[in-house]
Amino acid sequence: MSVKLNDNCRKVLCLLSFMLLLQVVNAQYDFSGLEKKLEAAKGDIGKSYVCLIYKDGKVIYKKETEGFDTRAQASIGYASKWLTAALVMTFVDQGKLSLDDKVSTYIPIFVPYNKKFVTIRHCLSDLTGIQPGDGSPASLEEMVNNYASKRDIVTNTGTAFSYSNVGINIAARVCEIISKRGFEQLINDKIIRPCGMRNTSFFNNSGGSVNPASGGNSTASDYLNFLAMILNKGMFNGKRILSEASVEEMMKPQIPTGISKTSPKPVEGFNYATGCWIQEADAEGKAITVSAPGMFGTWPWVDICRNYAAIVFVKSNNGESNKLTYTSLKSFIDNVVGECAKK
């Protein structure tokens, strides 16, 4: 009888211990004040938004608004660049492309128009020097050929940073040429599907050309999957999407000190990496936080030193993003998550 009683006591103690542990885990992060911060920011982010925070393999915070949830699709604007840059890096991983390859190797039309020195690295870091502007081409091929033949070199390649669609679209076109497949199929096969991004696409409903730089549509949960892959050094759900070396390369600063920069207001003061911005850096200039603001609302980021990823995903453009709003939200989250891990 006593043995049976002791067994029951042990079971109860185990259950109580588990419940206590569960309480500790759930109470580890107190985001109770974040909702107030988000509500106060509605003037900048709009009434329809989603906020997700991912850490240690799971979502630790989720805020949805009425009529707009984690699966609702919306334009991601320039946050598309990060996805496209990742696609280009898959070709680097496969040895089919080098960042220092000249674009003219794949697109000969760049030679007669004085653009033979433009490299893939210049394209991914917006150092091409080519005048911005897309026009209304029927295809990505036509768009890029227009960059070569109809857009001037306004600054010497590699000497000035100018944020635009031009470079990333050229790099995407090179991937099409190497693989002999369309951009949409490529990014679907190499990034979107492997990262479980079922509601993400670059399909252009208006019938114009696909735009790898700013034409993406996604959801909060989909884009968070991509951020989780970056945070986990190229791994998603046990599968390797990018090499660790490629993820690390994407986070390296690409704009030399002293070079002239033309940056959108929401990212003034940030350095540029590869398809994303170095939002925060350590004393040596190494990235602590990387982000890819859509410029008109959606703001995804990965905090490397605090080991978390987050996104504020908006339904529609609400004017140019207010940098202070998003950095303030991040600062609040940082305080909850804790200090940077020592390395």
Side-chain angles (χ1 to χ4, degrees), residues 288-331:
I288 291 175
T289 299
V290 286
S291 61
M295 300 302 164
F296 295 94
T298 290
W299 195 299
W301 73 89
V302 172
D303 190 313
I304 302 157
C305 70
R306 293 180 181 85
N307 195 37
Y308 81 90
I311 186 169
V312 177
F313 190 87
V314 305
K315 182 176 183 178
S316 59
N317 294 347
N318 199 43
E320 192 171 63
S321 298
N322 186 324
K323 176 182 175 182
L324 183 60
T325 294
Y326 291 92
T327 53
S328 176
L329 288 169
K330 183 184 183 302
S331 293

Side-chain angles (χ1 to χ4, degrees), residues 113-187:
Y113 291 96
N114 299 317
K115 299 178 178 73
K116 64 181 178 180
F117 298 110
V118 177
T119 68
I120 302 300
R121 189 183 300 277
H122 289 141
C123 291
L124 295 182
S125 52
D126 280 334
L127 292 168
T128 66
I130 299 173
Q131 180 185 17
D134 294 331
S136 301
S139 66
L140 182 59
E141 177 183 8
E142 183 181 336
M143 182 192 297
V144 172
N145 286 344
N146 285 347
Y147 292 156
S149 62
K150 297 181 180 180
R151 298 286 169 181
D152 294 332
I153 287 281
V154 292
T155 58
N156 289 334
T157 298
T159 65
F161 171 83
S162 181
Y163 194 67
S164 73
N165 289 353
V166 173
I168 201 82
N169 285 343
I170 294 171
R173 173 58 186 152
V174 169
C175 292
E176 286 191 331
I177 291 169
I178 292 172
S179 64
K180 299 180 180 179
R181 297 162 69 199
F183 170 78
E184 290 174 278
Q185 184 181 1
L186 285 174
I187 199 161

Side-chain angles (χ1 to χ4, degrees), residues 45-332:
I45 65 177
K47 295 180 180 180
S48 300
Y49 64 87
V50 172
C51 180
L52 294 174
I53 305 171
Y54 169 95
K55 184 173 172 61
D56 299 328
K58 60 183 179 295
V59 174
I60 61 172
Y61 177 81
K62 178 173 73 173
K63 167 64 179 176
E64 299 172 309
T65 51
E66 187 175 353
F68 195 65
D69 61 23
T70 60
R71 296 172 295 176
Q73 191 182 65
S75 169
I76 55 174
Y78 278 112
S80 307
K81 280 192 171 190
W82 209 353
L83 305 181
T84 301
L87 168 65
V88 176
M89 296 309 294
T90 66
F91 282 79
V92 175
D93 282 341
Q94 293 173 336
K96 296 179 179 179
L97 185 66
S98 166
L99 293 182
D100 296 314
D101 284 350
K102 291 181 179 178
V103 170
S104 58
T105 302
Y106 306 95
I107 312 177
I109 194 175
F110 274 66
V111 176
Y113 291 96
N114 299 317
K115 299 178 178 73
K116 64 181 178 180
F117 298 110
V118 177
T119 68
I120 302 300
R121 189 183 300 277
H122 289 141
C123 291
L124 295 182
S125 52
D126 280 334
L127 292 168
T128 66
I130 299 173
Q131 180 185 17
D134 294 331
S136 301
S139 66
L140 182 59
E141 177 183 8
E142 183 181 336
M143 182 192 297
V144 172
N145 286 344
N146 285 347
Y147 292 156
S149 62
K150 297 181 180 180
R151 298 286 169 181
D152 294 332
I153 287 281
V154 292
T155 58
N156 289 334
T157 298
T159 65
F161 171 83
S162 181
Y163 194 67
S164 73
N165 289 353
V166 173
I168 201 82
N169 285 343
I170 294 171
R173 173 58 186 152
V174 169
C175 292
E176 286 191 331
I177 291 169
I178 292 172
S179 64
K180 299 180 180 179
R181 297 162 69 199
F183 170 78
E184 290 174 278
Q185 184 181 1
L186 285 174
I187 199 161
N188 187 61
D189 289 348
K190 292 180 177 290
I191 300 297
I192 290 173
R193 189 184 301 143
C195 287
M197 303 169 72
R198 297 180 179 179
N199 295 302
T200 299
S201 76
F202 281 76
F203 180 73
N204 190 332
N205 292 319
S206 63
S209 64
V210 62
N211 193 326
S214 58
N217 293 282
S218 190
T219 70
S221 58
D222 273 14
Y223 207 102
L224 191 72
N225 285 355
F226 175 78
L227 297 177
M229 183 272 289
I230 296 294
L231 181 64
N232 294 322
K233 300 179 180 180
M235 296 290 292
F236 182 77
N237 280 354
K239 295 182 180 180
R240 170 90 31 211
I241 312 299
L242 289 175
S243 69
E244 287 191 37
S246 282
V247 173
E248 185 177 348
E249 180 66 35
M250 289 175 72
M251 296 181 183
K252 290 180 180 178
Q254 297 294 327
I255 313 303
T257 303
I259 201 170
S260 65
K261 292 172 65 176
T262 304
S263 302
K265 190 173 181 179
V267 290
E268 284 180 352
F270 296 172
N271 201 346
Y272 199 61
T274 300
C276 59
W277 295 88
I278 299 175
Q279 185 167 326
E280 298 172 307
D282 61 19
E284 298 175 351
K286 188 175 181 180
I288 291 175
T289 299
V290 286
S291 61
M295 300 302 164
F296 295 94
T298 290
W299 195 299
W301 73 89
V302 172
D303 190 313
I304 302 157
C305 70
R306 293 180 181 85
N307 195 37
Y308 81 90
I311 186 169
V312 177
F313 190 87
V314 305
K315 182 176 183 178
S316 59
N317 294 347
N318 199 43
E320 192 171 63
S321 298
N322 186 324
K323 176 182 175 182
L324 183 60
T325 294
Y326 291 92
T327 53
S328 176
L329 288 169
K330 183 184 183 302
S331 293
F332 184 91

